């Protein structure tokens, strides 16, 4: 079966790739931008910026497609996912696989514009994007694999900008993984009742009644990592002010999830976009002021 570009098909593919829900792309983009600004000392290469912005959007879409392919028999039984195109039969599984490979191929063409080290590292991105959807069947820690998939752009961006992957890259990567565990556990709390019925695993299920406490623990680790990043990158007061504002946001997230209400857990997940943006603004503003002073 071939991809057919009829209007109804395009609409189904659009929803399958989650282009109508940019939150996933944004949560991927912010750590990549953190890394790019730090790797470039606030002066990112324009080609690198464009290639990685487009590449992140394409690979996030590819990840959504392969995720829905993996979950096509589970999604009809989950309230939040029962209206996805594969669950409704609007897209055939073979079409989804074809779309996945088209998106990966498009991303591969973009990465060919980068240096050899970045091209080699891109293989890891494809592997992690393909692996994550199947982990929820075998481990209660799929959120860690999601974080690794979401964070792999960090070492890649350092490779593209500097042709090296220094310790700073892995520190930002670690912070990204921890952050993903935080927000995706909030996301998994929305589906916990349904996931328990159908046998899907998640950190929300693993943590059980300690979910809020353990999310708080990971939030603490995340902010320790952000402070370490600021110190090692020699960032100043603007960055640390942004980190403090982000910390206040994380307290708000704890408030939202306190009763484990589905809609409020989803709101906490979505609000992480603002946390990522605030950290980026702090990094960018700090470098901008240093540039003016210099």
């Amino acid at each position: 079966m071939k991809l057919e570009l009829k209007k109804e098909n395009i609409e189904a593919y659009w929803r399958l790739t989650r282009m109508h829900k940019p939150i996933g792309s944004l949560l991927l983009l912010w750590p990549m931008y953190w890394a790019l600004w730090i790797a470039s000392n606030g002066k990112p290469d324009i080609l690198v910026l464009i290639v990685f912005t487009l590449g992140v959007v394409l690979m996030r879409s590819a990840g959504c497609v392969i995720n829905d392919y993996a979950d096509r028999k589970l999604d009809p039984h989950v309230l939040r996912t029962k209206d996805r195109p594969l669950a409704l039969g609007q897209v055939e599984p073979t079409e989804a696989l074809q779309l996945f490979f088209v998106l990966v191929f498009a991303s591969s063409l973009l990465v060919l514009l980068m240096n050899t080290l970045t091209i080699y590292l891109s293989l890891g991105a494809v592997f992690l994007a393909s692996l994550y959807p199947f982990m929820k069947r075998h481990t209660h820690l799929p959120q860690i694999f999601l974080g690794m998939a979401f964070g792999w752009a960090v070492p890649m961006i350092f490779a593209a900008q500097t042709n090296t992957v220094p310790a700073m890259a892995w520190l930002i990567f670690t912070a990204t993984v921890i952050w993903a565990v935080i927000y995706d556990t909030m996301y998994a709390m929305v589906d916990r009742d349904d996931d328990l019925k159908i046998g899907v695993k998640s950190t929300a299920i693993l943590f059980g009644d300690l979910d809020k406490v353990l999310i708080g623990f990971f939030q603490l680790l995340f902010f320790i990592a952000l402070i370490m990043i600021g110190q090692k990158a020699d960032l100043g007061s603007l960055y640390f002010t942004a980190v403090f504002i982000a910390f206040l946001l994380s307290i708000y997230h704890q408030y939202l999830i306190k009763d484990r209400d589905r809609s409020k857990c989803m709101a906490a997940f979505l609000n992480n976009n603002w946390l990522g943006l605030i950290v980026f603004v702090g990094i960018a503003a700090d470098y901008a002021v240093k540039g003016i002073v210099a």
Side-chain angles (χ1 to χ4, degrees):
M1 182 175 295
K2 296 181 180 180
L3 294 175
E4 296 183 33
L5 298 181
K6 298 178 182 178
K7 181 180 178 181
E8 58 271 23
N9 295 60
I10 293 174
E11 290 175 354
Y13 299 151
W14 186 261
R15 290 189 293 111
L16 181 61
T17 57
R18 305 289 201 284
M19 288 293 188
H20 63 303
K21 294 183 178 180
I23 180 64
S25 294
L26 291 169
L27 292 173
L28 266 160
L29 284 169
W30 296 132
M32 185 270 286
Y33 287 153
W34 305 343
L36 178 56
W37 254 252
I38 290 174
S40 65
N41 290 314
K43 298 177 181 178
D45 182 280
I46 297 301
L47 179 61
V48 172
L49 175 63
I50 293 171
V51 164
F52 272 82
T53 298
L54 293 174
V56 160
V57 173
L58 288 173
M59 282 305 297
R60 182 259 178 165
S61 295
C64 290
V65 172
I66 199 64
N67 179 78
D68 286 12
Y69 173 82
D71 290 350
R72 64 192 185 279
K73 295 181 181 179
L74 300 175
D75 282 346
H77 306 286
V78 178
L79 179 64
R80 184 180 54 81
T81 62
K82 63 183 179 65
D83 293 327
R84 286 177 174 173
L86 275 168
L88 293 175
Q90 295 173 336
V91 175
E92 294 296 326
T94 52
E95 289 181 281
L97 284 178
Q98 290 172 24
L99 182 57
F100 170 73
F101 287 117
V102 167
L103 291 166
V104 171
F105 179 69
S107 300
S108 300
L109 292 179
L110 285 171
V111 83
L112 288 176
L113 298 172
M114 299 292 98
N115 57 38
T116 302
L117 178 57
T118 309
I119 293 170
Y120 284 142
L121 286 171
S122 70
L123 299 176
V126 176
F127 173 74
L128 289 168
S130 303
L131 180 68
Y132 159 69
F134 300 95
M135 288 299 98
K136 65 188 75 173
R137 292 161 178 74
H138 305 291
T139 173
H140 280 94
L141 302 172
Q143 280 67 32
I144 291 179
F145 290 92
L146 175 74
M148 292 171 66
F150 271 29
W152 198 250
V154 170
M156 285 183 65
I157 206 82
F158 269 88
Q161 181 70 40
T162 69
N163 204 29
T164 60
V165 185
M168 173 61 77
W170 297 114
L171 178 57
I172 299 174
F173 173 78
T174 300
T176 303
V177 174
I178 295 170
W179 187 36
V181 170
I182 294 165
Y183 63 66
D184 206 53
T185 300
M186 295 173 180
Y187 191 63
M189 289 169 72
V190 177
D191 297 335
R192 180 159 41 195
D193 293 341
D194 293 325
D195 287 347
L196 283 167
K197 292 176 185 176
I198 59 179
V200 170
K201 299 177 174 65
S202 72
T203 47
I205 292 172
L206 177 65
F207 294 166
D209 291 339
L210 292 175
D211 49 5
K212 294 179 290 184
V213 172
L214 289 173
I215 287 173
F217 171 72
F218 282 107
Q219 287 173 323
L220 178 61
L221 290 181
F222 175 60
F223 283 100
I224 289 173
L226 289 182
I227 290 170
M228 291 175 63
I229 289 167
Q231 291 174 336
K232 293 183 180 297
D234 196 27
L235 295 172
S237 59
L238 288 175
Y239 170 76
F240 287 103
T241 299
V243 169
F244 178 70
I245 295 171
F247 177 74
L248 295 179
L249 263 186
S250 72
I251 294 174
Y252 173 60
H253 298 163
Q254 279 286 342
Y255 169 77
L256 287 174
I257 66 173
K258 66 182 178 66
D259 297 320
R260 301 184 177 91
D261 177 80
R262 283 186 183 224
S263 63
K264 291 183 178 180
C265 289
M266 177 60 77
F269 161 73
L270 294 171
N271 196 261
N272 273 273
N273 170 52
W274 298 108
L275 188 153
L277 170 62
I278 287 168
V279 173
F280 170 67
V281 169
I283 294 171
D286 202 271
Y287 280 114
V289 169
K290 286 179 180 176
I292 293 171
V293 172

